[in-house]
């Protein structure tokens, strides 16, 4: 099958525009990797560029109304980055509107090359990429693949709708690696999620009996689960170390705290069992029905149980789709659940979408990436389902000269690097006053070097490997893209530990000094062992830097000033605030949720569990 690669609008003016998700750096990198593969195979390539000129103004009407001049011929913004510049023999198709097919030249290219497969990458997915796919599908009835990780949009919710729309009609969405593998073997990865419907129906069928039980009965079932879970903490920690590289000390703590959380949920559900009075009415709480859980791999016990426990306590059933990397742990946890109405569905993204889309599902709670959140929003918005989402953090700590710098460095290093930074609450950034910057950097170097980096199966290890070689490469590429102008501090040796079973998954804990507030290192959540240091000279700028990212999960302050503490509590835009402590970690029965791009819907845990997992019903007698 002859493939043609079509790169749509990968031009600087579009790539440098605000709000692009995923960020331009990884999108260009993935598109360039795909382009290199096609060149190596001597396969045909076409570049579709928006090209406008002041000598003949053929801009789209809405550009004219807005006075917008982008991708103007002869300007730097018209060209793509160096890695995506066309080479001799590659086709360049110019357009002024949405469609790469607007002047017929791309139709000719498809005919000349005899292409039977069109592979598309570029921006924006909701606009010009979408139009290219639909036109190719309608005009040429050709097979189409979209390179999902080499495609971006500045309207990500619209992009999520577009992806669902195209997947159901005209195109397969694959990663660049999947595209390359499929071209080499001529075999596509299989769809997953076929078991979602049966799981949801099974869960629905079990609801009547579960809801006949009293709240006290359901609470007792959760306490029994806690009693089964706690003695298995060491066993589960060993399994986490083997399957996801989580140091055993943290895996064991996770299991123990999950048992503590189950008991707290049970106690709170019992206390909230009675109807509330409101004027002449009674307010009853009714379960939602079947709740879909989509959970990550990094806390494969605590996060699923933190969602499932309150759902069950208030009379709901649960369809649970864990991350593929956590499959082994999820199966173990499923074995501990006994007769609780929980149905496990395995698989990747397609399985998650299938679970959320089931007609039997009445609400969704998800912990995942920003992109996963947009997909969940699109489904729940279309179906008008309640949604609760925790979508990661890019958490900063402010350090002021009057702070206990030894404590600040110790807390921040631990929060940034333990578990290889693979926690949503991990310290990602430090905003430090210039007067104490040098001292803090030296202390951070010392404290980071004191953390043991190595075999996650050892009791004294605090920094293990990343979950996979792919995760390691993602962090490495992020730092490589930063370039030589960014100062890096690597307190540990750069050579990876030699630990059998974890080859290729190691990246050294790294401190990066970057004062460019718009830099990719600052703006993007690395979810790895990377701490970014930003410098300031006044409080207003410190708060501006703290809040100057899309996320708002956690923030910390290190100072002895009561005045600055009060200002921090008033001005920090995050759902979890810490004083003199790392941003990492949280209590088991306290509301946990992010602001801005870090959260949708009510927070998890504590008093908010009942608000999400039940619907109020006013009864007048």
């Amino acid at each position: 099958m002859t493939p043609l690669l079509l790169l749509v609008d990968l031009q600087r003016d579009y790539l440098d525009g605000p709000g692009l998700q995923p960020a331009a750096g990884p999108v260009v990198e993935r598109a360039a990797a795909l382009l290199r593969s096609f060149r190596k195979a001597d396969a045909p390539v076409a570049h579709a560029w928006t090209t406008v000129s002041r000598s003949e103004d053929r801009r789209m009407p809405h550009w004219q109304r807005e006075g917008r001049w982008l991708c103007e011929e002869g300007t730097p913004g018209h060209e793509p980055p160096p890695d995506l510049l066309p080479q001799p023999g590659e086709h360049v198709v110019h357009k002024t509107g949405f469609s790469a097919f607007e002047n017929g030249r791309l139709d000719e290219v498809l005919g000349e090359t005899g292409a039977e497969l069109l592979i598309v990458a570029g921006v924006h997915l909701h606009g010009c990429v979408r139009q290219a796919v639909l036109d190719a599908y309608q005009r040429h009835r050709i097979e189409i693949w979209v390179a999902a990780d080499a495609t971006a949009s500045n309207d990500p919710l619209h992009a999520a709708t577009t992806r669902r729309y195209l997947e159901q009609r005209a195109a397969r969405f694959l990663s660049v690696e999947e595209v390359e593998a499929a071209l080499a073997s001529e075999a596509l990865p299989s769809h997953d999620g076929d078991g979602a419907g049966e799981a949801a129906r099974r869960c629905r069928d079990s609801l009547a009996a579960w809801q006949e039980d009293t709240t006290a009965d359901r609470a007792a079932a959760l306490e029994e689960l806690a009693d089964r879970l706690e003695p298995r903490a060491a066993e589960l920690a060993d399994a986490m170390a083997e399957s996801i590289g989580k140091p055993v000390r943290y895996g064991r703590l996770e299991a123990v705290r999950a048992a503590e959380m189950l008991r707290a949920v049970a106690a709170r559900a019992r206390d909230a069992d009675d109807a509330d009075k409101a004027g002449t009415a009674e307010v009853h709480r009714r379960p939602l029905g079947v709740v879909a859980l989509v959970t990550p791999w990094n806390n494969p016990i605590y996060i699923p149980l933190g969602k499932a426990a309150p759902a069950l306590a208030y009379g709901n059933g649960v369809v649970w789709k864990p991350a593929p990397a956590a499959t082994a742990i999820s199966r173990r946890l499923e074995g501990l659940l006994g007769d609780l109405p929980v149905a496990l569905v395995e698989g990747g993204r397609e399985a998650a979408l299938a679970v959320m889309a089931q007609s039997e599902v009445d609400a969704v709670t998800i912990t995942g990436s920003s992109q996963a959140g947009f997909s969940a929003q699109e489904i729940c918005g279309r179906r008008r389902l309640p949604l609760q989402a925790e979508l990661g953090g890019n958490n900063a700590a402010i350090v002021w000269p009057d702070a206990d710098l030894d404590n600040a460095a110790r807390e921040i290093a631990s929060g940034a690097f333990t578990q290889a930074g693979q926690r949503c609450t991990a310290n990602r950034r430090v905003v430090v006053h210039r007067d104490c910057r040098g001292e803090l950097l030296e202390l951070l170097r010392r404290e980071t070097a004191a953390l043991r980096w190595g075999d996650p199966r050892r009791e004294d290890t605090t920094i293990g490997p990343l979950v996979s070689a792919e995760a390691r490469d993602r962090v490495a590429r992020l730092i490589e893209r930063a370039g030589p102008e960014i100062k890096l501090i690597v307190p540990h040796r750069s050579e990876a530990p030699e630990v059998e079973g974890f080859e290729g998954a190691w990246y050294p804990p790294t401190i990066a000094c970057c004062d460019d507030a718009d830099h990719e290192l600052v703006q993007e959540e690395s979810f790895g062992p990377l701490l970014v240091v930003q410098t300031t000279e006044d409080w207003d700028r410190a708060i501006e830097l703290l809040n100057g990212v899309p996320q708002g999960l956690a923030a910390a302050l290190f100072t002895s000033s009561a005045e600055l503490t009060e200002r921090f509590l008033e001005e920090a835009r995050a759902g979890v605030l810490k004083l003199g402590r790392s941003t990492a970690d949280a209590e088991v029965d306290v509301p946990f949720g992010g602001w801005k791009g870090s959260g949708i819907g009510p927070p998890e845990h504590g008093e908010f569990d009942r608000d999400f997992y039940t619907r109020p019903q006013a009864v007048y007698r």
Side-chain angles (χ1 to χ4, degrees):
M1 188 161 52
T2 303
L4 170 69
L5 175 61
L6 175 63
L7 302 178
V8 178
D9 286 348
L10 287 166
Q11 298 162 266
R12 291 184 186 275
D13 275 348
Y14 288 131
L15 292 168
D16 293 342
L20 196 67
Q21 292 197 27
V27 169
V28 170
E29 182 183 80
R30 295 290 80 209
L34 188 57
L35 180 57
R36 288 193 297 271
S37 295
F38 266 70
R39 287 170 175 170
K40 184 177 180 180
D42 199 25
V45 175
H47 305 257
W49 290 355
T50 297
T51 302
V52 301
S53 172
R54 293 181 188 261
S55 62
E56 184 183 2
D57 187 359
R58 297 180 59 223
R59 291 175 297 158
M60 291 183 288
H62 68 287
W63 279 28
Q64 293 176 343
R65 289 195 304 269
E66 297 164 6
R68 189 189 310 179
W69 283 96
L70 296 177
C71 303
E72 185 179 351
E73 190 173 19
T75 67
H78 179 252
E79 289 194 348
D83 289 347
L84 297 177
L85 284 169
Q87 290 186 353
E90 295 177 352
H91 306 276
V92 179
V93 177
H94 297 277
K95 62 188 183 69
T96 58
F98 293 110
S99 178
F101 288 86
E102 69 179 35
N103 61 15
R105 177 58 188 137
L106 189 54
D107 298 285
E108 295 173 359
V109 170
L110 283 167
E112 293 167 6
T113 59
E116 303 163 282
L117 167 66
L118 183 66
I119 297 170
V120 185
V123 295
H124 295 100
L125 174 58
H126 69 280
C128 294
V129 172
R130 174 183 183 273
Q131 194 64 47
V133 170
L134 290 177
D135 284 348
Y137 179 70
Q138 179 180 352
R139 294 159 75 137
H140 294 274
R141 308 299 171 100
I142 193 171
E143 184 168 355
I144 303 167
W145 301 349
V146 177
D149 52 346
T151 307
S153 174
N154 61 1
D155 190 349
L157 186 56
H158 191 175
T161 303
T162 296
R163 177 166 177 172
R164 173 183 56 81
Y165 181 87
L166 293 179
E167 283 182 311
Q168 291 175 349
R169 293 165 176 81
R172 289 286 301 267
F173 279 69
L174 307 170
S175 70
V176 169
E177 284 76 13
E178 288 172 333
V179 168
E180 292 171 335
L183 290 175
S185 64
E186 296 189 353
L188 283 169
S190 60
H191 285 279
D192 56 23
D194 292 338
E198 173 58 31
R201 286 188 292 273
R202 190 167 68 250
C203 200
R204 173 72 68 186
D205 291 343
S206 67
L207 265 187
W210 180 244
Q211 291 176 351
E212 285 176 1
D213 289 343
T214 65
T215 302
D217 292 333
R218 294 192 292 267
L222 295 181
E223 290 167 338
E224 291 169 6
L225 174 58
D227 292 341
R228 293 193 296 272
L229 175 65
E230 206 163 26
R232 305 280 291 274
E235 170 195 334
L236 292 167
D238 289 340
M240 281 187 266
E242 291 288 346
S243 61
I244 60 174
K246 187 167 189 167
V248 289
R249 63 194 300 176
Y250 300 116
R252 186 169 57 252
L253 177 62
E254 179 184 344
V256 170
R257 295 191 68 201
E260 179 186 350
M261 177 270 301
L262 287 169
R263 297 185 179 106
V265 169
R268 191 176 281 278
R270 281 196 184 95
D271 292 343
D273 195 27
D274 296 331
D276 299 323
K277 289 286 188 179
T280 62
E282 294 177 353
V283 179
H284 294 240
R285 295 280 182 162
R286 302 302 185 199
L288 299 171
V290 175
V291 181
L293 275 58
V294 180
T295 60
W297 56 264
N298 61 325
N299 290 309
I301 295 173
Y302 188 89
I303 291 178
L305 289 180
K307 296 175 182 293
L312 295 168
Y314 295 110
N316 301 283
V318 168
V319 181
W320 171 33
K321 208 300 292 182
T327 297
I329 304 300
S330 302
R331 290 175 179 173
R332 286 175 180 261
L333 185 55
E334 182 189 28
L336 292 173
L337 296 177
D339 296 329
L340 295 173
V342 178
L344 178 68
V345 176
E346 296 181 2
R349 178 183 181 274
E350 290 170 344
L353 297 180
V355 164
M356 292 187 285
Q358 292 304 311
S359 60
E360 289 83 1
V361 166
D362 301 296
V364 173
T365 175
I366 179 174
T367 297
S369 67
S370 179
Q371 294 301 308
F374 284 118
S375 295
Q377 276 185 283
E378 192 274 331
I379 290 173
C380 292
R382 177 164 41 90
R383 299 192 57 216
R384 296 185 176 178
L385 300 184
L387 171 63
Q388 177 191 67
E390 190 273 285
L391 303 173
N394 191 356
N395 316 300
I398 296 177
V399 180
W400 226 239
D402 60 355
D404 179 344
L405 295 183
D406 287 291
N407 174 64
R410 185 165 51 250
E411 286 284 324
I412 292 168
S414 175
F417 298 123
T418 54
Q419 302 180 56
Q422 297 174 121
R423 294 190 283 181
C424 59
T425 55
N427 263 118
R428 306 280 176 219
R429 299 177 293 131
V430 180
V431 178
V432 58
H433 195 285
R434 189 174 302 278
D435 290 350
C436 61
R437 176 182 183 274
E439 184 178 357
L440 181 68
L441 283 175
E442 184 54 41
L443 290 171
L444 284 170
R445 182 200 301 269
R446 184 192 72 189
E447 294 295 337
T448 304
L451 298 171
R452 180 175 177 80
W453 183 39
D455 191 338
R457 295 164 291 204
R458 286 182 53 129
E459 188 63 37
D460 59 347
T461 295
T462 56
I463 308 173
L466 276 81
V467 66
S468 65
E470 291 77 17
R472 182 265 174 208
D473 291 345
R474 175 182 51 76
V475 174
R477 290 195 298 262
L478 171 65
I479 295 174
E480 288 167 5
R481 287 196 299 271
E485 67 274 11
I486 300 297
K487 177 186 176 183
L488 301 179
I489 300 171
V490 186
H492 288 264
R493 64 192 188 282
S494 295
E495 297 79 14
E498 295 182 3
V499 182
E500 185 178 355
F502 299 102
E503 296 84 358
W506 301 93
Y507 197 86
T510 300
I511 301 166
C513 299
C514 180
D515 288 333
D516 179 357
D518 296 323
H519 199 286
E520 183 184 0
L521 285 181
V522 172
Q523 291 294 316
E524 298 301 314
E525 180 187 17
S526 63
F527 213 74
L530 172 65
L531 178 67
V532 179
V533 178
Q534 301 173 263
T535 310
T536 186
E537 294 181 349
D538 65 80
W539 177 260
D540 288 340
R541 179 58 174 163
I543 283 291
E544 183 181 353
L545 292 172
L546 178 87
N547 294 331
V549 296
Q551 308 86 357
L553 181 57
L557 174 65
F558 294 86
T559 183
S560 60
S561 167
E563 178 188 353
L564 292 183
T565 298
E566 288 305 311
R567 290 194 63 182
F568 171 76
L569 296 176
E570 178 66 27
E571 297 168 358
R573 312 304 293 165
V576 178
L577 302 183
K578 302 282 195 76
L579 301 174
R581 298 173 59 181
S582 160
T583 60
D585 213 356
E587 299 293 334
V588 301
D589 197 36
V590 174
F592 178 83
W595 292 14
K596 301 191 295 183
S598 289
I600 303 168
E604 300 180 78
H605 306 309
E607 63 191 76
F608 288 91
D609 281 341
R610 188 176 71 152
D611 289 341
F612 180 71
Y613 291 104
T614 66
R615 280 195 178 96
Q617 191 173 57
V619 178
Y620 294 84
R621 297 186 185 277

